[in-house]
Amino acid sequence: MRTRPLKVALLGCGVVGSEVTRIMTTHADDLAARIGAPVELAGIAVRRPDKVRDGVPAELVTTDATALVKRGDIDVVIEVIGGIEPARTLITTAFEHGASVVSANKALVAADGAALHAAAEANGADLYYEAAVAGAIPLVRPLRESLAGDKVNRVLGIVNGTTNFILDKMDATGAGYSEALDEATALGYAEADPTADVEGFDAAAKAAILAGIAFHTRVTIDDVHREGLTEVTASDIASARRMGCTVKLLAICERAADGASVTARVHPAMIPLTHPLASVREAYNAVFVEAEAAGQLMFYGPGAGGAPTASAVLGDLVAVCRNKLAGATGPGESAYTRLPVSPMGEVVTRYHISLDVADKPGVLAQVATVFAEHGVSIDTVRQTGKDGEASLVVVTHRAADAALSSTVGALRELDTVRGVASIMRVEGE
């Protein structure tokens, strides 16, 4: 083992950064043995230097992140500050000064991954980001390396713990969305502003990263169709139960049947209780991968939190440091397929539509005619009615999303349809 330590700069010392510091300190000997050289924290960049941080050496703390990454003796920069700027500038500056980068920044990788990979390659550096998707769950590296010789056709997953907790509580207790969100907030699963989680932005960033790696093509967050779960009701959950399903916020990345394009989307969906993802409870994450040779694989575990995310960061740190010692770099961007990302309208799946209609003869026939006129085949219909009002639940066969959208538009024009209560896709069958 060489005696000169590999020097590490840490950008950010919040929940994740503090845990990274603790593990690097308490497991220094083990890390050195696994890497083949000692690793040393050379500096920690923070915004608030006066904040009390237990276990963080005060002499390492600085507010000048730029100066830290420009130091010529830094071997690896760990970025856990999040957001687009200043993270992007700091990472590219680190590359320019000879450092490799380990990042947990899903938003930045999803928005600008291609440029970051290009900067890393131009400077002979590594860019690793296992922690950007699904916390402690090993997922990025298996897709990028273990399945590199296979053809991945589909990635289907629960990649946001907050939304899974909310939907799980709605399913288990019959609570409405607001009640379940309040509980998630009280327990610390939801932020004070939960928009990134409940509106699907967090999951969409992760879907973009997964799709890009799985299909060897460039996918950004702007390519991902996104819907949140704020409109999911207790009635939707109950209706799913009657169908033998549960509701999950899913990230779905698919290769087209002809292999000529890909799609990436995030939205609530009903999945059968028999599907492995249906049993994922509380704030856990799970991702289901379908590959031609490997078949069906499932990755499961805690998808967020200081310790789980730090575990992924440290795994990347070990890999990058080993590459440094070997004078090599690991896998970079693989985007050779250059597949286009198809619009949501071309996605084909099944649908569950709940309509409020007048309770009188002929309504069902009118509704069925609209579906037929737009090329959407009906699988099942359930109708309940009382005092001149009725609820009509239609489950379709597989159809294009554009066809379903035009069907719903036409249904809204019927005098006998008082409202479209909900539309939800049915996946995982």
Side-chain angles (χ1 to χ4, degrees):
M1 180 187 294
R2 81 172 194 176
T3 56
R4 185 182 76 78
L6 291 158
K7 293 193 175 183
V8 178
L10 176 63
L11 307 181
C13 199
V15 174
V16 176
S18 297
E19 194 65 20
V20 168
T21 302
R22 183 191 69 78
I23 295 174
M24 288 188 66
T25 302
T26 58
H27 298 289
D29 291 343
D30 286 338
L31 288 172
R34 293 165 192 171
I35 291 168
V39 287
E40 173 188 304
L41 262 178
I44 303 171
V46 300
R47 286 184 298 177
R48 294 182 291 166
D50 54 340
K51 181 180 177 181
V52 177
R53 296 176 175 87
D54 294 336
V56 177
E59 66 273 14
L60 296 182
V61 174
T62 177
T63 57
D64 194 343
T66 301
L68 180 59
V69 300
K70 283 184 175 180
R71 281 175 48 174
D73 62 337
I74 298 297
D75 295 290
V76 183
V77 171
I78 297 175
E79 183 271 310
V80 290
I81 56 179
I84 304 300
E85 289 291 358
R88 175 167 47 199
T89 298
L90 291 170
I91 288 173
T92 54
T93 301
F95 290 144
E96 291 164 0
H97 286 77
S100 289
V101 173
V102 172
S103 176
N105 195 332
K106 55 187 169 286
L108 179 57
V109 175
D112 212 16
L116 294 177
H117 276 293
E121 183 178 0
N123 291 281
D126 274 324
L127 172 63
Y128 277 51
Y129 42 86
E130 184 68 66
V133 182
I137 304 172
L139 185 58
V140 170
R141 196 170 295 133
L143 282 174
R144 191 161 65 173
E145 299 179 30
S146 303
L147 294 173
D150 206 341
K151 182 181 180 183
V152 176
N153 290 318
R154 195 169 195 238
V155 180
L156 174 75
I158 298 164
V159 295
N160 183 273
T162 300
T163 52
N164 199 58
F165 180 89
I166 291 170
L167 290 169
D168 185 45
K169 289 303 172 185
M170 291 176 70
D171 184 62
T173 67
Y177 164 75
S178 296
E179 298 168 83
L181 174 60
D182 288 344
E183 183 174 354
T185 304
L187 291 172
Y189 291 121
E191 302 286 345
D193 179 2
T195 302
D197 293 324
V198 300
E199 293 294 355
F201 290 100
D202 175 86
K206 296 170 182 176
I209 295 170
L210 292 175
I213 297 171
F215 307 135
H216 303 278
T217 196
R218 287 179 178 171
V219 180
T220 71
I221 191 169
D222 292 334
D223 296 318
V224 181
H225 174 84
R226 176 191 54 79
E227 298 173 25
L229 55 71
T230 56
E231 301 301 318
V232 177
T233 66
S235 295
D236 293 328
I237 302 291
S239 190
R241 275 284 170 186
R242 285 191 289 269
M243 288 177 57
C245 294
T246 190
V247 177
K248 299 291 186 182
L249 185 78
L250 297 179
I252 305 171
C253 311
E254 294 177 303
R255 189 190 300 267
D258 61 4
S261 64
V262 299
T263 58
R265 50 196 167 106
V266 168
H267 53 71
M270 296 179 179
I271 59 172
L273 294 173
T274 53
H275 194 284
L277 291 178
S279 61
V280 178
R281 310 301 298 273
E282 298 285 328
Y284 278 80
N285 283 193
V287 177
F288 204 71
V289 177
E290 299 175 10
E292 283 198 355
Q296 297 179 332
L297 308 170
M298 183 162 154
F299 302 83
Y300 170 84
T309 305
S311 171
V313 169
L314 269 296
D316 278 351
L317 177 65
V318 169
V320 168
C321 286
R322 286 172 175 169
N323 292 342
K324 281 278 184 181
L325 293 179
T329 56
E333 183 190 33
S334 175
Y336 73 92
T337 63
R338 296 183 176 87
L339 296 174
V341 182
S342 296
M344 186 63 187
E346 295 181 15
V347 168
V348 176
T349 189
R350 297 179 67 210
Y351 304 88
H352 174 283
I353 306 101
S354 180
L355 306 171
D356 295 326
V357 300
D359 189 10
K360 62 182 184 181
V363 173
L364 180 55
Q366 287 183 333
V367 168
T369 298
V370 170
F371 275 88
E373 288 174 346
H374 291 84
V376 180
S377 174
I378 293 176
D379 182 18
T380 63
V381 177
R382 186 179 72 253
Q383 181 173 355
T384 59
K386 185 178 180 181
D387 299 329
E389 296 183 357
S391 174
L392 195 63
V393 174
V394 178
V395 179
T396 74
H397 290 292
R398 289 171 59 81
D401 204 83
L404 192 280
S405 294
S406 62
T407 302
V408 171
L411 288 171
R412 295 185 197 276
E413 298 298 318
L414 293 179
D415 292 339
T416 51
V417 175
R418 295 173 176 172
V420 179
S422 72
I423 305 166
M424 194 169 295
R425 298 167 185 91
V426 183
E427 301 285 349
E429 295 178 304

